[in-house]
Amino acid sequence: MTTIYDIAKAAGVTATTVSNVLSGKGSVGAATKARVLKYVQELDYQPNLIARSLIKGRTGVIGLVVGDMNNPFYAETTAAVERLAYTAGLRVFTTTFSGEDQVGQKLLEDLILRQVDGILVTSGSWSEQQTIRSVSAMQLPIVYCFWEGTQPTSLLSIALDFKQGGFLAGQHLLSLGHRRVGVITCFDSEGNDAHGIRVAGLQTALSQHGLLLDSTLLLNGQSSMEGGKVAAYKLLTHPDPPTAIFATTDAMAIGAMTAAWELGLQIPRDLSVVGLDDISLAKYVVPSLTTITIDRVAVLSHAIKLLLDSIDGQQVTSPPPFSVSLVIRGSTGRCP
Amino acid sequence: MTTIYDIAKAAGVTATTVSNVLSGKGSVGAATKARVLKYVQELDYQPNLIARSLIKGRTGVIGLVVGDMNNPFYAETTAAVERLAYTAGLRVFTTTFSGEDQVGQKLLEDLILRQVDGILVTSGSWSEQQTIRSVSAMQLPIVYCFWEGTQPTSLLSIALDFKQGGFLAGQHLLSLGHRRVGVITCFDSEGNDAHGIRVAGLQTALSQHGLLLDSTLLLNGQSSMEGGKVAAYKLLTHPDPPTAIFATTDAMAIGAMTAAWELGLQIPRDLSVVGLDDISLAKYVVPSLTTITIDRVAVLSHAIKLLLDSIDGQQVTSPPPFSVSLVIRGSTGRCP
DNA sequence: ATGAAAGCGCTAACAA
DNA sequence: TTGTTAGCGCTTTCAT
């Protein structure tokens, strides 16, 4: 590896001068500059970002904590974050909570040891929040995305109006004549209902029609296609089965569709299904999935801006919840 | 941030001693050791990995270059790499080629500037290979995964027997009585057929039955659900349409299924579809997708081992291609 | 068993 | 315009 010293020696100048040429700071004579640049070329000099980070106290890297990369929602989110951060001149060090919280804790600490300038968390579930809170004792800027809670938090966070999401889903189903709605939600590793406010939104819609959510129709599973499938099996073999299912994530909704199909039910003729996330796949499943969509780019852009400002030492505050909207596709129809 | 100096001062010793305690090297008196450790606790000391990297010339981080994070295959692969690397004591810096090769080149170089110890590439398409070859002039260990080529390469790579994959798909369709098979493959940004050998495998199967692939039934699109959908539309509105479609990736296969459905065709009654990748989604689409499966953990474990050995300066060679196998699910049936 | 000194590659004061 | 000096936080000889 060539260092600035190598090219300094070659060009007959000092390391400082080379540094100045490279950074454009200070003032360097045209001739010297040309000579330095020549050797930079010739010796194929590449700056050592590690050394630069050490002295600057900044790495230009943000850490990204992702819930579950196998869930398309997070994978797509990760891609978006990377792209947005890139245009903001930042690189992203991605880390996934591989289910086990201990590992998550470890990875998060490791992120800090590697001197990331800030951390972005794209996951709203509670147990992870605990982990993060404990770590955010370090005064490293940290922004919490897709925040699921309702109560205000001391953490910098971007919330989504998931309650409205559940409400819109409910309204839509009710307008199609459905009165018996099953719900598939998910609990996190600590047993807390990770998507409580999504369900609450649905309940609000139901109660506006004088209906109550049948508690035997409220199931929880893993937030995955498999989890949705398992839960849907139970719902659909219920003595008094629902005519519609609201799953709090698209992944679970898709699993529910698979279950329905295996049980010989046709969607949307015999059963309507609504998801939440609008993963890219939602358009391609058969029939396409009615769901609640989130303007992810808007959310993530804001999150990154917040993080950047926070890194720059500015005083920043969490914005009000972003609203979500309903996308009607093929998986919902009139109540049979 | 507390440094070793802070705790050295507190404990009344030298930075060297602290370092020794922390690393377990050298020899330190029991009393001193305890005292140092006490202050490590008290002052909540966290080592600065950047500084350590600078001096050691190693970061303990490998770079991962991913083709397209929106493609579940790569997302799932990324999760697996991260997990496997973690158990090997490595962290992963993930970078995605966001379509544009210039950005890819930039990100790759950046990975190098950040002093990753090695690079893992999980993408077999040719244009990226060019980029990587140009960069691998640096003698940084680099392992190329899911290598698509047939000819031997100077790069360290793990190849898959994609030809066999195409062959198995073809054999399966032929055994079901299909004689007219459409193919959806994809070209990379430079116009090369990225999946040529997958198609070649299919052709081999056909020719064993005295059949030739109708070139008007060989289409290419983007390797995404949308790409598959577009291509399938063309195939299915062909004057003499195929009774079966082989898509060289699951994402495209799923898009093809969507197209079929929109055209009122029922799978597998009217049309059989075979994919390749066995993404987790393949089990959950309706009907579930018959596809070619890859033992990803085996491949990636081997890749990481190769990379590690290479980093350790060992002489390593590329293994023979990993074989793949057919998974028969619901999307294929007898020729109508 | 402990410490002094040097240095990884780079940048930032401050002088000259 | 250029050079000198010092130091980011840590490890590693080599002395003591």
Side-chain angles (χ1 to χ4, degrees):
Chain A
M1 274 285 85
T2 23
T3 72
I4 49 170
Y5 284 101
D6 296 323
I7 87 159
K9 196 190 296 175
V13 292
T14 286
T16 310
T17 306
V18 177
S19 178
N20 282 335
V21 170
L22 260 28
S23 65
K25 289 179 184 167
S27 39
V28 194
T32 330
K33 184 171 175 178
R35 200 148 29 89
V36 166
L37 253 22
K38 193 187 98 190
Y39 286 108
V40 164
Q41 279 292 126
E42 236 167 62
L43 302 179
D44 189 31
Y45 168 77
Q46 311 272 98
N48 183 330
L49 260 38
I50 293 284
R52 197 174 282 175
S53 297
L54 182 59
I55 191 172
K56 291 234 178 191
R58 281 230 196 156
T59 52
V61 175
I62 59 171
L64 175 65
V65 178
V66 179
D68 173 16
M69 201 61 109
N70 288 306
N71 184 328
F73 177 78
Y74 289 119
E76 291 165 18
T77 296
T78 301
V81 168
E82 224 187 293
R83 204 163 32 75
L84 291 168
Y86 179 78
T87 65
L90 289 172
R91 294 301 180 280
V92 181
F93 201 119
T94 304
T95 271
T96 62
F97 270 96
S98 1
E100 314 206 31
D101 250 24
Q102 287 183 335
V103 176
Q105 172 88 24
K106 202 92 170 39
L107 289 169
L108 197 54
E109 280 170 3
D110 193 74
L111 232 38
I112 294 167
L113 301 188
R114 293 196 188 280
Q115 311 293 115
V116 292
D117 295 340
I119 292 184
L120 193 61
V121 181
T122 57
S123 168
S125 92
W126 180 257
S127 74
E128 293 169 21
Q129 188 219 335
Q130 292 298 65
T131 306
I132 284 142
R133 194 183 286 276
S134 78
V135 168
S136 75
M138 346 266 338
Q139 56 284 60
L140 191 67
I142 179 164
V143 173
Y144 212 80
C145 241
F146 305 118
W147 169 252
E148 196 80 29
T150 41
Q151 70 280 48
T153 166
S154 58
L155 293 176
L156 216 43
S157 64
I158 304 215
L160 279 134
D161 200 341
F162 286 122
K163 181 156 189 180
Q164 186 199 15
F167 181 76
L168 291 172
Q171 248 191 351
H172 174 58
L173 292 173
L174 288 163
S175 76
L176 290 167
H178 295 277
R179 291 297 174 267
R180 204 160 165 69
V181 179
V183 176
I184 303 175
T185 180
C186 72
F187 280 37
D188 64 25
S189 53
E190 307 203 335
N192 302 98
D193 184 348
H195 294 156
I197 65 165
R198 308 183 187 199
V199 178
L202 180 86
Q203 281 170 317
T204 304
L206 287 176
S207 58
Q208 285 189 0
H209 281 245
L211 298 169
L212 272 177
L213 179 59
D214 180 343
S215 64
T216 64
L217 253 40
L218 171 60
L219 295 183
N220 63 80
Q222 290 213 303
S223 177
S224 63
M225 293 182 271
E226 185 61 29
K229 183 174 162 184
V230 170
Y233 254 99
K234 289 190 198 139
L235 284 177
L236 297 173
T237 53
H238 188 279
D240 183 8
T243 62
I245 291 178
F246 168 53
T248 58
T249 71
D250 277 6
M252 294 194 296
I254 289 166
M257 287 171 72
T258 308
W261 185 81
E262 290 183 5
L263 289 168
L265 296 173
Q266 210 175 306
I267 296 171
R269 198 194 57 191
D270 309 320
L271 179 75
S272 289
V273 176
V274 182
L276 191 157
D277 275 347
D278 198 19
I279 59 179
S280 65
L281 180 62
K283 281 199 282 291
Y284 296 97
V285 288
V286 175
S288 55
L289 181 66
T290 294
T291 189
I292 303 294
T293 193
I294 295 166
D295 187 347
R296 271 182 262 179
V297 171
V299 170
L300 296 173
S301 300
H302 199 112
I304 288 177
K305 188 180 172 341
L306 224 58
L307 191 57
L308 274 173
D309 289 350
S310 182
I311 290 170
D312 285 344
Q314 294 179 35
Q315 190 58 37
V316 288
T317 53
S318 306
F322 279 65
S323 60
V324 299
S325 53
L326 176 72
V327 192
I328 299 172
R329 297 210 180 91
S331 66
T332 46
R334 289 215 62 79
C335 181
Chain B
M1 273 287 83
T2 20
T3 73
I4 49 169
Y5 284 101
D6 296 324
I7 88 159
K9 196 191 296 174
V13 291
T14 286
T16 312
T17 306
V18 177
S19 177
N20 281 336
V21 170
L22 260 27
S23 65
K25 288 178 185 166
S27 41
V28 194
T32 329
K33 184 169 174 180
R35 200 148 28 90
V36 166
L37 254 21
K38 191 187 99 192
Y39 286 106
V40 163
Q41 279 292 125
E42 236 166 61
L43 302 179
D44 189 31
Y45 168 77
Q46 311 273 100
N48 183 329
L49 261 37
I50 294 283
R52 196 174 284 174
S53 296
L54 181 60
I55 191 172
K56 291 234 179 190
R58 280 231 195 155
T59 53
V61 175
I62 60 171
L64 174 65
V65 178
V66 179
D68 173 17
M69 200 60 107
N70 289 305
N71 183 327
F73 177 78
Y74 289 119
E76 291 165 18
T77 297
T78 301
V81 168
E82 221 185 296
R83 203 163 33 75
L84 291 168
Y86 179 78
T87 63
L90 289 171
R91 294 301 180 279
V92 180
F93 202 120
T94 304
T95 272
T96 62
F97 270 96
S98 2
E100 314 204 32
D101 251 24
Q102 286 182 336
V103 175
Q105 173 86 26
K106 201 93 170 39
L107 289 169
L108 197 55
E109 281 170 2
D110 193 74
L111 231 38
I112 294 168
L113 301 188
R114 293 197 187 279
Q115 312 292 114
V116 293
D117 295 339
I119 292 183
L120 193 61
V121 181
T122 57
S123 167
S125 91
W126 181 257
S127 73
E128 295 168 21
Q129 188 219 333
Q130 293 296 66
T131 305
I132 284 142
R133 195 182 285 277
S134 78
V135 168
S136 74
M138 346 267 337
Q139 55 285 57
L140 191 67
I142 179 164
V143 173
Y144 212 80
C145 242
F146 304 118
W147 170 251
E148 195 81 28
T150 40
Q151 70 279 48
T153 165
S154 58
L155 294 175
L156 216 44
S157 64
I158 304 214
L160 279 135
D161 201 341
F162 286 122
K163 182 155 189 180
Q164 187 199 16
F167 181 76
L168 290 172
Q171 247 191 352
H172 175 56
L173 291 174
L174 286 163
S175 76
L176 290 167
H178 295 277
R179 291 297 175 266
R180 201 157 167 71
V181 179
V183 177
I184 302 176
T185 180
C186 71
F187 280 37
D188 64 25
S189 53
E190 307 202 336
N192 302 97
D193 185 349
H195 295 156
I197 65 165
R198 306 182 188 199
V199 178
L202 181 86
Q203 282 170 318
T204 304
L206 288 175
S207 60
Q208 284 190 1
H209 281 245
L211 298 168
L212 272 178
L213 179 58
D214 180 344
S215 64
T216 65
L217 253 40
L218 172 59
L219 295 183
N220 62 81
Q222 290 212 305
S223 178
S224 62
M225 291 183 272
E226 185 61 29
K229 184 175 162 183
V230 170
Y233 254 98
K234 289 190 197 136
L235 283 177
L236 297 174
T237 54
H238 187 281
D240 184 8
T243 62
I245 291 179
F246 169 53
T248 58
T249 72
D250 277 6
M252 296 194 294
I254 288 165
M257 287 172 71
T258 307
W261 186 80
E262 290 183 5
L263 289 167
L265 296 172
Q266 210 176 305
I267 296 171
R269 198 193 59 192
D270 308 320
L271 179 75
S272 288
V273 176
V274 182
L276 192 157
D277 275 346
D278 197 20
I279 59 180
S280 66
L281 181 60
K283 279 200 282 291
Y284 296 97
V285 288
V286 175
S288 55
L289 182 66
T290 294
T291 189
I292 303 295
T293 193
I294 295 166
D295 187 347
R296 272 183 261 178
V297 171
V299 169
L300 295 173
S301 300
H302 199 112
I304 288 177
K305 187 181 174 343
L306 226 57
L307 191 57
L308 274 172
D309 289 350
S310 183
I311 290 170
D312 285 344
Q314 293 180 36
Q315 190 59 38
V316 289
T317 53
S318 306
F322 279 64
S323 59
V324 299
S325 53
L326 176 71
V327 191
I328 299 173
R329 298 210 181 92
S331 66
T332 46
R334 291 215 62 80
C335 181

